Amino acid sequence: MSHCWKLCARRVVFASLFVLLASSSFGEDKTGPKKAAASQAAPPTVTRCDKLPHAITLVELSNGLTILVQENHVAPVATVRCFVKNTGSSFEGKRLGMGLSHLIEHLTAGGATTNRSEEEIEQIVNSFGGATNAYTSSNLTSYFIDCPSKNALTAVDLIADQMQHAAFEQAAFDREFQVVQRELSDGEVNRGRVQWKLLNESLYTVHPARNPVIGYLDVLRRATRDDCVDFYRHRYVPNNQVFVVVGDVKTDEVLARVAKAWTGTGRKPETYIAMVEEPEQMAPRVAFQEMDGTTYDMAFAWPTVELSNQDLYALDVASYILSAGDSSRLVRSLKYEKQLVLSVNAASYTPSYVKGFFVVMANSRPETWKQADAEILKAVYGLRDELVSPAELDKAKKQKASELVFGQQTVQQAAESLGRNYIGTANPLFDETYVENIQKVTAEQVRDVARRYFVPNRLNRVVVTPPGGAPKSADEAATAGKSKIQLSRLPNGVRVLVKRQANLPMVNVQAHVLGGSLADTPATAGRASLVGAMLDKGTAKRTAQQIADYFDSIGGRFSTAAGRNTLSASATVLRDDLPQAAGLLAECFIRPTFPEDEFAKVKRLALGAIAQRANSPHSEAFEVFFDALPATSPYHVLQGGTKESVDRLTVADLRTYHKEYFVAESMIVTIFGDVEPDEALALAKQLFGSVPSSSKKPPLNLNGSNAVPKSVVRHKQTNKPTGMILLGFPGVSIHDEKDHAALTVLDAILSGYDYPGGWLHHELRGEGLVYFVHADQLTGPAPGYFAIFCQTRPDKIDEVLQRIRKNLDRAKSGDIPEDEFRRAVEMILAMHAQQNTTISSQAAESALDELFGLGYTYDKTFDARLQAVTLADVVAVAKKYLNNSVLVTTSPEKRGE
């Protein structure tokens, strides 16, 4: 984060020299044999040669390689470096997050080439007392050898060999792959690395700059040797490389040796890495991370500009005024006078490929960190209010000027500056232009950038704390902001579930009753669906339009619906709208008027939906399937009804249904969100306390037999050029916990879980026999069915059926590998963990589990229930349930039944 990141635009050219470097000008290669093809090829020629101040020469070769040489004869030493552009964690393209650039650095630096073994390279470097290493950043990789100047040409050969001919031996890959993984794991306990990672992930939500240089462990583990070879071949090309030599050398000898070393390696296609633009931050972000240690490590950062923006100079001056030297504002005040911090530093980071940030980092003791936090923000924001003094401004400028001089003392510093400067702006002397512009910064410009960039809403705050050291105020907020689900029962019998979840100022209210298709018969099919559709179509106080207008006016979401087992209403609104919105939901749910004119509209829409089933091969097949199920099963009843059953329904039928099923004993209300539990319960009592009780339970078909004594086959001939298969087996209810869990695992093995996969998908879809195939449990509080559904070509129906049954027989025979079984369980657990992440979905899950008699915390036992399933259990349920079946097919052809 020093000013060596600040790279420039002005170039002083003393002369342009275009010469052909004759092979006779090269010295003998004393470090090892070259490939025969390379030795016979002509070396690349010079296409540009600029003589710059400070004995610097800039050369470009015909293969795209850039060379920078600076003669420095103060001491008989030299450094040889090669910077590789378009690498680093931000430039890994389709492999983002893998840390591939860093892994390749480990394999390439000192690693074997096609010309030399690791041992040979080590012997050569050791023979002249050289020091070699490499590093990877977010936007480049750099390799170097520091050595006596008399060995500089040998170092050139070694680095050039690494840049073109890395061998990537499998044994070396296996070794370094493990080393890098250990390095990543070790970094997870390094406070500095963790803090920097969190800071970048906070500042960059979509830009690749958010990815750590070393990658993420799960992604890194997927890296292969082939990935490394492919990346190396495409990125380690001359036109992506900047070769830098600084020291007691002769420029012409170095240029000749470099050109010879790249003989036979031509220019490759240019590298272009598209990067998504980071959206402007609109609200403050904060992250706390507890780690082993005794201090509070704090970072405060604001997004700013990239390298080409002229504001970078005033921002850098601001950073020096805050923390450069013991007399700076933050160091003097917080470290020495008030002793609130152990260290503090400010910096302006402005890379060339993304907007950077201004950051203040500090370490503080547990008893002082809060005050230090406040004082740091006060100091930063203070730059917006008052002009910095002339003395502070002058001091910062002089510090920057001296930094340039002090930063050029060693050949290593000079080489690093030249390479980075050139990569950033194509000007190796940007540091000089940078310091010139620093001297022009005014106090008004410092105040101006502070006002535009140091904005509270754009603050990113990351704090690494000791174990248990997260701020008490945050703990209290978390405790108050989230509570366990609380179950209460109103005097009339209505159950109420309340949960405070205050991370967002919103609340979800729901009401559910048992019923749905469980309350319908084939003659009344569709009745529950019409009731659900009519709940928001008018009350004694409001019309359908007024209800819709109200929720639209507050930006709320309101819906009513009927399912196979329940009817429900749900409203999600902002916290302040809760009382009135909940009141209107209750009014619709318990006191609808079922207006005749609205009923006529809803009925017409329902009949239209029934007619549209014929348009969909899927709906058509399911209609036949449900009709083929035993009449005793509630799944025999079509949820939306048939044309005949819906035609017969009247408003009186709906009112009768509502009166019979919308009773207190069958009703549950949930209020989840940013609301105090006591207030929520009081509101529920006020709105639902008058729901009438019933002396008898409403009739529900919960125990209807789903048995299929003899397999049933149905076929429907259609005009659609496709084939559908629906194969169902009598299954279990959700109350059959053990078998339900085992069938869930069997489902995952056969066809994936909430995502295509498993035996059937891989075989049938893999061979192009089906468009899709999926298995699922059609179940609920009443026993249901285990069904397999797929779409295929009409002429492939028999083959697909045969293969499905073959896979089912395989499961019944126990031919399920243990690793497949374990993967299926892990997949289910992983997918389930990603479900029910909103307050409305959490409320619905808890409400339905409570209504169905499982208990509102039932979902918390999901993992335990699945983990208790054994492979023997899966085989047992396959044998027990995959026997007699209901088979439905549809296609243009006639088929026997």
Side-chain angles (χ1 to χ4, degrees):
M1 288 182 291
S2 69
H3 77 278
C4 65
W5 291 98
K6 320 294 190 284
L7 314 168
C8 156
R10 186 172 61 86
R11 177 169 59 87
V12 182
V13 180
F14 278 76
S16 295
L17 176 64
F18 295 88
V19 294
L20 177 64
L21 298 176
S23 59
S24 59
S25 66
F26 300 118
E28 291 297 321
D29 181 359
K30 310 235 190 296
T31 60
K34 296 288 182 184
K35 291 183 177 179
S39 65
Q40 296 172 4
T45 59
V46 174
T47 59
R48 172 187 177 185
C49 182
D50 296 346
K51 292 292 185 178
L52 305 178
H54 314 303
I56 298 170
T57 301
L58 168 63
V59 166
E60 290 182 6
L61 300 184
S62 56
N63 62 359
L65 180 69
T66 298
I67 310 169
L68 284 161
V69 182
Q70 182 178 27
E71 294 190 20
N72 180 338
H73 303 294
V74 173
V77 296
T79 184
V80 177
R81 300 186 174 226
C82 190
F83 297 85
V84 186
K85 302 184 295 181
N86 294 309
T87 62
S89 54
S90 294
F91 289 80
E92 294 179 351
K94 64 183 180 181
R95 299 180 178 92
L96 277 177
M98 188 173 282
L100 200 61
S101 300
H102 177 253
L103 176 57
I104 290 172
E105 172 222 313
H106 272 250
L107 291 164
T108 305
T113 70
T114 54
N115 298 315
R116 303 174 179 88
S117 67
E118 285 189 32
E119 292 75 17
E120 288 178 282
I121 295 169
E122 184 178 5
Q123 289 172 5
I124 293 170
V125 174
N126 289 341
S127 71
F128 57 71
T132 182
N133 212 328
Y135 69 85
T136 303
S137 71
S138 59
N139 71 318
L140 59 82
T141 311
S142 177
Y143 300 83
F144 61 87
I145 297 177
D146 300 331
C147 60
S149 55
K150 64 181 180 180
N151 304 108
L153 298 184
T154 301
V156 167
D157 292 337
L158 293 175
I159 294 289
D161 196 19
Q162 292 174 353
M163 295 301 96
Q164 302 170 84
H165 308 300
F168 295 105
E169 295 174 341
Q170 186 64 51
F173 173 83
D174 295 340
R175 179 193 68 214
E176 295 303 319
F177 192 41
Q178 294 302 316
V179 169
V180 170
Q181 290 184 66
R182 286 198 300 272
E183 182 182 344
L184 193 156
S185 297
D186 292 344
E188 294 300 316
V189 297
N190 182 299
R191 280 173 153 246
R193 284 192 180 186
V194 170
Q195 185 182 43
W196 188 251
K197 176 184 173 184
L198 289 172
L199 185 61
N200 279 278
E201 289 176 342
S202 177
L203 284 156
Y204 302 111
T205 59
V206 297
H207 192 279
R210 76 190 313 269
N211 294 287
V213 169
I214 200 168
Y216 299 99
L217 187 58
D218 289 346
V219 186
L220 171 62
R221 283 173 172 163
R222 297 199 292 269
T224 65
R225 176 187 175 276
D226 289 343
D227 288 327
C228 295
V229 172
D230 180 69
F231 193 84
Y232 180 87
R233 286 174 177 170
H234 287 89
R235 304 295 177 87
Y236 280 60
V237 297
N239 37 311
N240 263 350
Q241 295 170 334
V242 178
F243 204 88
V244 182
V245 180
V246 176
D248 186 18
V249 298
K250 294 180 180 180
T251 299
D252 289 345
E253 290 182 357
V254 170
L255 293 176
R257 192 60 162 252
V258 173
K260 181 181 179 181
W262 257 267
T263 297
T265 301
R267 180 188 289 270
K268 298 299 191 299
E270 296 297 328
T271 303
Y272 171 72
I273 307 297
M275 292 192 182
V276 62
E277 184 175 353
E278 181 67 25
E280 183 174 349
Q281 183 175 333
M282 304 301 291
R285 300 168 185 163
V286 62
F288 284 91
Q289 178 73 46
E290 294 185 0
M291 294 186 68
D292 188 46
T294 60
T295 61
Y296 282 73
D297 303 337
M298 301 176 286
F300 310 83
W302 296 262
T304 56
V305 299
E306 58 187 18
L307 183 60
S308 59
N309 192 298
Q310 294 299 300
D311 285 342
L312 77 93
Y313 304 107
L315 287 164
D316 271 8
V317 169
S319 74
Y320 265 55
I321 287 171
L322 286 174
S323 73
D326 288 350
S327 63
S328 63
R329 292 186 177 188
L330 289 175
V331 177
R332 183 189 71 248
S333 174
L334 302 189
K335 184 176 181 180
Y336 293 113
E337 293 178 358
K338 299 177 181 178
Q339 296 193 340
L340 299 177
V341 300
L342 302 174
S343 66
V344 63
N345 179 63
S348 178
Y349 174 54
T350 51
S352 60
Y353 57 95
V354 65
K355 289 181 179 179
F357 52 89
F358 188 96
V359 61
V360 179
M361 306 186 79
N363 307 99
S364 187
R365 295 181 298 274
E367 65 270 21
T368 59
W369 82 270
K370 288 184 181 178
Q371 189 177 351
D373 180 298
E375 291 290 336
I376 288 170
L377 292 177
K378 180 180 178 181
V380 173
Y381 293 144
L383 294 174
R384 304 180 306 175
D385 303 326
E386 297 180 0
L387 294 175
V388 298
S389 69
E392 286 181 305
L393 186 62
D394 186 57
K395 180 179 65 174
K397 293 178 178 180
K398 288 180 179 178
Q399 287 172 322
K400 279 294 183 182
S402 63
E403 183 185 72
L404 171 64
V405 177
F406 297 158
Q408 302 289 330
Q409 295 182 83
T410 67
V411 293
Q412 291 86 358
Q413 290 172 324
E416 190 72 11
S417 174
L418 291 174
R420 284 186 172 275
N421 285 348
Y422 185 80
I423 288 175
T425 65
N427 182 4
L429 293 174
F430 172 72
D431 282 348
E432 295 185 359
T433 303
Y434 168 78
V435 172
E436 289 176 9
N437 286 325
I438 286 289
Q439 305 311 309
K440 301 173 184 177
V441 172
T442 66
E444 287 77 14
Q445 288 175 325
V446 174
R447 183 176 63 182
D448 176 62
V449 296
R451 287 176 172 177
R452 286 188 287 118
Y453 299 112
F454 304 159
V455 180
N457 278 345
R458 302 182 71 200
L459 170 63
N460 294 267
R461 189 160 164 261
V462 174
V463 184
V464 178
T465 78
K472 291 184 179 180
S473 58
D475 287 341
E476 292 166 358
T479 301
K482 183 177 181 179
S483 68
K484 293 182 178 180
I485 301 173
Q486 301 176 27
L487 170 64
S488 300
R489 191 180 290 269
L490 302 182
N492 61 347
V494 171
R495 284 165 283 182
V496 180
L497 295 176
V498 175
K499 180 182 180 182
R500 177 166 171 74
Q501 182 72 52
N503 61 311
L504 292 171
M506 58 186 287
V507 184
N508 173 263
V509 184
Q510 296 180 25
H512 301 262
V513 290
L514 282 171
S517 300
L518 291 173
D520 283 335
T521 66
T524 62
R527 181 179 53 162
S529 295
L530 286 184
V531 171
M534 285 291 296
L535 290 175
D536 63 350
K537 294 302 183 286
T539 69
K541 297 179 179 179
R542 292 176 176 83
T543 64
Q545 186 62 51
Q546 289 171 330
I547 295 168
D549 286 345
Y550 169 73
F551 282 103
D552 288 345
S553 71
I554 63 170
R557 299 177 180 178
F558 179 57
S559 62
T560 62
R564 181 166 291 280
N565 306 302
T566 59
L567 289 94
S568 63
S570 175
T572 303
V573 298
L574 296 178
R575 175 183 55 211
D576 294 342
D577 297 313
L578 171 62
Q580 188 172 354
L584 185 50
L585 177 145
E587 190 178 324
C588 291
F589 198 70
I590 60 181
R591 288 184 293 275
T593 55
F594 301 104
E596 289 279 0
D597 57 337
E598 295 293 341
F599 172 73
K601 298 174 188 176
V602 168
K603 183 175 181 178
R604 191 158 50 247
L605 290 172
L607 290 169
I610 292 170
Q612 283 185 317
R613 290 178 194 155
N615 298 340
S616 165
H618 308 155
S619 300
E620 204 168 39
F622 268 103
E623 190 174 48
V624 178
F625 177 75
F626 289 129
D627 186 64
L629 296 178
T632 52
S633 169
Y635 294 91
H636 175 70
V637 179
L638 281 170
Q639 279 188 253
T642 63
K643 181 180 183 302
E644 295 74 20
S645 65
V646 172
D647 261 336
R648 289 193 295 266
L649 293 174
T650 66
V651 166
D653 294 323
L654 273 56
R655 289 173 177 160
T656 299
Y657 182 105
H658 187 271
K659 182 177 180 180
E660 186 173 12
Y661 288 93
F662 282 63
V663 293
E665 291 81 3
S666 296
M667 188 176 296
I668 190 167
V669 175
T670 64
I671 304 180
F672 282 33
D674 189 9
V675 60
E676 292 294 338
D678 290 345
E679 295 177 7
L681 181 59
L683 182 62
K685 184 176 182 179
Q686 173 191 337
L687 299 176
F688 293 89
S690 61
V691 173
S693 299
S694 176
S695 58
K696 61 178 182 178
K697 290 184 178 181
L700 297 171
N701 185 11
L702 293 171
N703 300 308
S705 173
N706 65 337
V708 179
K710 182 180 179 181
S711 290
V712 176
V713 178
R714 293 275 186 92
H715 176 73
K716 180 175 181 178
Q717 187 176 7
T718 71
N719 294 320
K720 300 176 182 65
T722 189
M724 306 300 301
I725 300 173
L726 219 171
L727 180 63
F729 302 87
V732 300
S733 80
I734 55 176
H735 295 285
D736 299 311
E737 289 187 5
K738 183 177 180 181
D739 282 2
H740 184 267
L743 284 167
T744 300
V745 177
L746 177 62
D747 172 12
I749 292 170
L750 289 173
S751 72
Y753 184 81
D754 280 357
Y755 196 81
W759 295 351
L760 296 178
H761 176 80
H762 293 146
E763 177 177 338
L764 299 178
R765 179 67 189 269
E767 296 184 29
L769 289 173
V770 299
Y771 177 67
F772 74 86
V773 59
H774 196 67
D776 199 4
Q777 292 191 74
L778 305 175
T779 189
Y785 295 85
F786 186 91
I788 300 169
F789 186 43
C790 66
Q791 183 173 4
T792 184
R793 286 166 40 191
D795 62 328
K796 295 295 182 181
I797 288 178
D798 290 331
E799 181 179 356
V800 170
L801 268 172
Q802 183 270 328
R803 292 197 184 210
I804 290 174
R805 293 191 184 279
K806 179 194 69 175
N807 279 279
L808 298 182
D809 288 342
R810 176 187 171 188
K812 292 167 69 174
S813 71
D815 184 16
I816 303 174
E818 180 72 28
D819 61 333
E820 284 192 36
F821 163 73
R822 289 297 167 199
R823 282 200 303 271
V825 173
E826 290 170 4
M827 174 178 61
I828 295 168
L829 295 177
M831 294 298 292
H832 182 264
Q834 300 173 61
Q835 298 171 347
N836 298 331
T837 57
T838 66
I839 55 174
S840 58
S841 61
Q842 292 169 6
E845 180 74 38
S846 299
L848 296 181
D849 285 344
E850 178 65 23
L851 270 184
F852 296 158
L854 301 170
Y856 65 92
T857 61
Y858 185 68
D859 189 58
K860 292 185 179 298
T861 67
F862 183 89
D863 287 8
R865 283 182 276 122
L866 264 291
Q867 289 166 342
V869 175
T870 66
L871 180 54
D873 292 335
V874 175
V875 176
V877 294
K879 291 179 178 178
K880 181 177 180 180
Y881 296 104
L882 303 184
N883 298 302
N884 291 344
S885 63
V886 174
L887 170 64
V888 167
T889 58
T890 67
S891 72
E893 294 83 20
K894 286 186 176 181
R895 293 175 60 88
E897 296 188 2

